[in-house]
Amino acid sequence: MDKQNSKLRWVIFVSVLFTYLLMSSQRTAPGLITDQLMIDFSVTASTIGLVTSIQFFVYTGLQIPLGILADRYGPNFFLIIGAMLTGVGTIIYSLGTDEFVLFFARILTGIGDATIWVNMVLILSLWFNEKEFTRLIGFAGMTGSLGFLLATVPFSVLIVLLDWRGAFLSAGVLLCLCSIFLYIVLVKKTKQSVFLKNKRKHEKTTALLRRILSSRQAWALFFCHFGIVGGYIGFIGSWAVPYMMDVYGMTRLDASQIIMVSLIGALIGAPLIGWISSYLETIKRPYIVFHVTVLLCWSVFLLFKEHPPIYLLVILFFVIGFGFGSNSLTFAVVRQSFPISESGIVTGFANTGGFLSAVLLPSIFGYLLDHFQSSPGIISHGYYYGFLTPVIFSMFGLIGVIFIKEKYHYTERNTK
């Protein structure tokens, strides 16, 4: 089958992106019910932070191994099984009876979620030519932001209508159906094996890892992604809604509307920042600008002692979301700097940086809330100290992007 001229590729494109939409929504959806979980399961903020972090911890730990496996055996199997595991994990989460069940559910969800980005990138590279791929990868980045947007007001409304258990159960069932549909379009319709083993001779895994881990460019990408991704996803997915409810006295729906403003910023930022970078014919300079902007925005929360005026709060969330949209530039640098034959593992390594910070932030933030609460059960004054976390993370990101070495004039990479 001539994949890059087949009409089926658009069916695959839509089905893969729809699955990504649902999976990315389940990264941050639990943040809508943080306070409810604390009441229902009689647990502390630190415990909820750990429950939130465990998914990102698993996701982070699997990025490099899955990058290696996807390069060698193709993306079909990992994407299909990943969607199913995310669905099953979400269903178990909706049926949880104690915090241990929640931990197990989020571990399953994390395993499934870990498959999506690297394998989606590889699937698009197989089914679309280079020109189409460059354009469509921007839409893929937008889809992740749309997933986060789905986990604001729309999912809040679903929680109101069905209770939080019914809402997560519905999402889990839909993800399982997506897994079945992916099997049909990626395997049955194409008459291909679930595993697409690459016959190219591979460098030994240990040697490849050693070379990547000794690369200054790879570490610069790791840290710039660490700073721009984790502060945003980790905060939005855990403490953003409780913060606005505790400090501003908002309802859950009002708080999720402000989160939606932030996600709209990310949705606009992803393609626009990519266009700016392309127009200026540089990746590093705009990336530095947006890293600095995000750092300054997080610092404003400290300047106003955790309580900026509402109008400024809305602006800050929008700008932070817009800056988060620049994270796709990380993978533009990967494509520019490394051979295509290594794109899976380097993409996984850079992505590890982003989600390592998403692992750390909810737990650190929750610990600071517990430690600096003004009185037992009242955590609002701890948010000031909590905001130190994304500020410090953003500093690491700025250092990383400064150390990126950009190739302004480059030729086609060796793809042997």
Side-chain angles (χ1 to χ4, degrees), residues 220-231 273 283-299 319-320 322-330 333 353-354 357 390-404:
L221 293 167
F222 177 96
F223 280 109
C224 77
H225 214 56
F226 179 98
I228 204 73
V229 171
I273 291 171
I283 299 171
K284 182 174 180 176
R285 280 184 289 169
Y287 211 3
I288 288 176
V289 169
F290 289 108
H291 269 272
V292 171
T293 301
V294 169
L295 172 59
L296 292 175
C297 285
W298 286 120
S299 300
V319 175
I320 289 171
F322 190 93
F324 168 76
S326 67
N327 76 86
S328 61
L329 295 182
T330 299
V333 178
S357 55
V391 169
I392 293 171
F393 283 13
S394 295
M395 290 178 180
F396 278 107
L398 181 58
I399 292 170
V401 76
I402 288 172
F403 276 93
I404 285 175

Side-chain angles (χ1 to χ4, degrees), residues 59 91 99 111 121 136 149 151 215 228 245 248 295 321 341 354 400 410:
Y59 181 105
I91 290 171
E99 61 267 33
I111 294 171
V121 169
L136 295 178
L149 187 62
S215 167
I228 204 73
M245 293 174 68
Y248 293 89
L295 172 59
S341 60
Y410 57 94

Side-chain angles (χ1 to χ4, degrees), residues 9-10 13 124 128-142 271 335:
R9 64 195 174 133
W10 294 109
F13 176 72
L124 295 183
F128 295 92
N129 62 44
E130 185 176 351
K131 184 177 179 181
E132 290 173 327
F133 175 86
T134 302
R135 184 171 65 249
L136 295 178
I137 196 66
F139 283 98
M142 288 175 59
R335 188 179 183 90

Side-chain angles (χ1 to χ4, degrees), residues 25 28-36 150-157 159 168 236-238 241-242 245 252 255-256 259:
S25 75
T28 56
L32 296 173
I33 57 169
T34 299
D35 61 317
Q36 189 64 50
L150 182 63
T152 56
V153 174
F155 208 75
S156 292
V157 171
I159 290 171
F168 281 90
I236 293 295
S238 57
V241 169
M245 293 174 68
R252 190 185 315 279
S256 63
I259 297 301

Side-chain angles (χ1 to χ4, degrees), residues 8 11-23 75-86 112 115-116 119-120 123 127 174-190 192-194:
L8 182 62
V11 177
I12 291 173
F13 176 72
V14 172
S15 60
V16 170
L17 260 65
F18 182 71
T19 304
Y20 181 42
L21 174 75
L22 294 178
M23 291 173 75
N76 292 350
F77 171 79
F78 300 105
L79 193 60
I80 292 167
I81 198 67
M84 181 62 71
L85 286 174
T86 304
T115 67
I116 183 65
N119 290 288
M120 180 175 65
I123 283 176
W127 286 89
L174 189 54
L175 275 165
C176 291
L177 293 176
C178 284
S179 175
I180 296 170
F181 188 73
L182 285 174
Y183 175 77
I184 293 171
V185 297
L186 290 173
V187 178
K188 283 293 190 182
K189 287 291 184 180
T190 61
Q192 293 182 344
S193 171
V194 175

Side-chain angles (χ1 to χ4, degrees), residues 226-251:
F226 179 98
I228 204 73
V229 171
Y232 180 78
I233 293 180
F235 182 68
I236 293 295
S238 57
W239 295 112
V241 169
Y243 159 69
M244 286 181 280
M245 293 174 68
D246 290 337
V247 175
Y248 293 89
M250 295 183 185
T251 65

